[in-house]
């Protein structure tokens, strides 16, 4: 059996990595996992059960129960769940539990596209292609705000642009500043700054890099 062809995509919140990952997965006919949903699912379970977000034993039990097959991106998109997820994500034993599930997904078939914060550095350090997607906090807040506008009534989100911008900055601090698996580019990652690049350009740039890295 040949080695799975894994594409690792990391970057901060609302950098465009999710859209890029989905487009690449579709074009290459590979399964895709948004690993942020796994942290969001733990946060959602804790919030629903009215449990604290900083009790590691309780959070690990919730993480063990997460089924990657039934993650609902619409339910988990709520702004407050993203905030709670970045708190849950600082706990090392929660990360170990979720990373184990993410690795199983990555290695289950002919390959996969995974996006998150630590895919190229921790989850799949041997991925054949790695991208680090970024954009300025203002550009990212603008994108997230538009998404919230479009989805508003569906998810009950009501965050203003200012709230989203300050949350994005705080989230960056938490994601980049945590001791375990902080967000940072892998040494061998291709950097894609999408501040002034539309998704089509980012997608075609990434696809040509993938094609030149794939020996097949
Ligand atoms: O990408 P997102 O907004 O859905 O991620 C939610 C939180 O989950 C984010 O603040 C940090 C955490 N996360 C992580 O620590 N590692 C990952 N691989 C993916 C997400």
């Amino acid at each position: 059996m040949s080695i799975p062809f894994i594409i690792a995509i990391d970057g901060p919140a609302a950098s465009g990595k999710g859209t890029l990952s989905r487009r690449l997965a579709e074009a290459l006919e590979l399964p895709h996992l948004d690993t942020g949903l796994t942290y969001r699912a733990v946060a959602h379970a804790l919030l629903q059960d009215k449990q604290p977000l900083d009790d590691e034993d309780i959070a690990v039990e919730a993480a063990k129960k997460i089924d990657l097959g039934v993650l609902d991106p619409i339910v988990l998109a709520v702004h407050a769940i993203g905030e709670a997820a970045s708190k849950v994500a600082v706990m090392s034993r929660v990360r170990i539990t979720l990373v184990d599930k993410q690795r199983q997904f990555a290695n289950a078939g002919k390959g996969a596209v995974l996006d998150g914060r630590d895919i190229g550095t921790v989850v799949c350090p041997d991925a054949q292609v790695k991208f680090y997607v970024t954009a300025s906090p203002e550009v990212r807040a603008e994108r997230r705000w538009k998404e919230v506008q479009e989805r508003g009534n569906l998810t009950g989100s009501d965050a203003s642009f200012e709230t989203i911008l300050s949350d994005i900055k705080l989230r960056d601090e938490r994601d980049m500043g945590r001791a375990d698996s902080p967000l940072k580019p892998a040494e061998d990652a291709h950097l894609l700054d999408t501040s002034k690049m539309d998704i089509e350009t980012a997608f075609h740039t990434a696809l040509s890099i993938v094609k030149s890295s794939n020996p097949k």
Side-chain angles (χ1 to χ4, degrees):
M1 226 179 77
S2 59
I3 305 167
F5 187 77
I6 297 171
I7 302 177
I9 306 186
D10 293 302
S15 57
K17 67 183 188 303
T19 312
L20 178 67
S21 306
R22 279 190 296 278
R23 291 284 307 271
L24 280 177
E26 199 180 85
L28 299 162
E29 298 182 357
L30 290 174
H32 166 232
L33 177 64
D34 169 358
T35 60
L37 293 180
T38 65
Y39 293 91
R40 284 172 181 261
V42 175
H44 185 225
L46 296 175
L47 291 171
Q48 269 197 324
D49 293 347
K50 300 202 169 26
Q51 297 290 347
L53 294 170
D54 58 355
D55 183 316
E56 191 153 14
D57 288 335
I58 295 175
V60 168
E61 286 315 306
K64 283 183 188 162
K65 292 190 197 128
I66 299 303
D67 177 352
L68 299 196
V70 297
L71 300 171
D72 185 335
I74 305 280
V75 169
L76 298 175
V78 173
H79 185 68
I81 297 180
E83 283 306 295
S86 78
K87 295 176 186 159
V88 163
V90 302
M91 293 183 276
S92 293
R93 285 193 293 123
V94 172
R95 302 198 68 86
I96 290 169
T97 308
L98 294 179
V99 165
D100 187 46
K101 290 174 192 264
Q102 295 161 10
R103 284 192 184 131
Q104 284 176 29
F105 180 94
N107 291 292
K110 61 175 179 164
V113 180
L114 281 83
D115 74 273
R117 304 291 192 287
D118 58 343
I119 310 302
T121 51
V122 176
V123 181
C124 301
D126 298 327
Q128 281 81 350
V129 194
K130 300 179 185 179
F131 293 104
Y132 188 85
V133 187
T134 187
S136 70
E138 288 72 20
V139 167
R140 290 187 281 128
E142 178 85 33
R143 283 184 194 146
R144 206 27 80 81
W145 186 73
K146 279 189 187 145
E147 273 171 30
V148 169
Q149 296 305 298
E150 281 160 20
R151 280 199 295 244
N153 293 340
L154 260 179
T155 60
S157 295
D158 58 357
S160 69
F161 176 79
E162 285 71 26
T163 310
I164 291 178
L165 178 58
S166 76
D167 284 353
I168 276 195
K169 289 181 177 168
L170 275 176
R171 181 102 63 96
D172 283 358
E173 268 174 45
R174 266 202 297 268
D175 292 349
M176 294 175 190
R178 66 177 177 232
D180 188 349
S181 316
L183 168 65
K184 61 173 182 202
E187 276 177 16
D188 49 351
H190 299 274
L191 298 183
L192 282 179
D193 186 337
T194 65
S195 301
K196 294 193 185 107
M197 198 191 268
D198 64 17
I199 182 62
E200 273 313 304
T201 313
F203 167 64
H204 288 291
T205 307
L207 188 61
S208 64
I209 291 172
V210 171
K211 288 197 166 153
S212 63
S213 316
N214 189 351
K216 271 186 287 171

